[in-house]
Amino acid sequence: MRKNILFVCSKNQWRSPTAEAVYQVDHRIAVRSRGTARTAVQRLRRSDFDWADAILVMEGKHRNRILADFPAEARDMRIYVLDVPDDYKFMDPELVDLLQSTCESIIEDLSGNDGEQDC
């Protein structure tokens, strides 16, 4: 069964949209991206918590913002901190490589895949 993964950064401009673009073709998961800032392109909403099986945030500050702004919704949500710094532009090859190496084991665990990659 496909899992719903929500990628989150601050402005939903570079990192989380890159993760969404990279993983939108992965048949193990469905993906969306959001931002925590008021100025985010797509801002995190309460309805995103109903949709998501897990949230992958780029930095610890994003996890903290989610817990502060959505305490009830985030209470039982699996939130993973990827430690991806805000040093990249959209689809930067280094960012793509970092996301793939950081996210793969999490996605494997969430999807229950036996190691076969489908991306």
Side-chain angles (χ1 to χ4, degrees):
M1 182 175 175
R2 282 173 58 151
K3 296 293 184 180
N4 295 331
I5 307 296
L6 183 64
F7 292 102
V8 176
C9 64
S10 296
K11 292 189 177 182
N12 187 233
Q13 188 173 8
W14 308 123
R15 294 174 289 173
S16 59
T18 297
E20 181 179 17
V22 167
Y23 283 101
Q24 70 184 358
V25 296
D26 189 318
H27 298 290
R28 298 171 297 173
I29 57 175
V31 294
R32 290 182 184 170
S33 67
R34 298 289 187 263
T36 58
R38 285 190 179 140
T39 58
V41 174
Q42 292 284 332
R43 191 166 180 207
L44 185 63
R45 304 179 301 252
R46 282 182 169 73
S47 61
D48 293 318
F49 292 90
D50 294 331
W51 177 84
D53 293 305
I55 299 174
L56 280 63
V57 300
M58 298 300 148
E59 299 177 66
K61 69 180 181 180
H62 302 122
R63 180 182 182 276
N64 294 342
R65 174 62 30 217
I66 289 170
L67 295 174
D69 290 350
F70 301 96
E73 294 84 355
R75 182 180 7 212
D76 297 321
M77 180 61 62
R78 289 187 278 188
I79 302 174
Y80 299 85
V81 179
L82 302 177
D83 290 322
V84 175
D86 192 11
D87 297 338
Y88 307 96
K89 298 290 185 191
F90 181 69
M91 295 304 289
D92 181 310
E94 281 186 47
L95 175 58
V96 171
D97 288 345
L98 180 57
L99 288 167
Q100 288 176 324
S101 65
T102 306
C103 295
E104 190 55 36
S105 64
I106 296 168
I107 292 170
E108 286 288 323
D109 288 345
L110 292 171
S111 65
N113 198 332
D114 61 4
E116 294 179 29
Q117 292 188 12
D118 193 19
C119 40

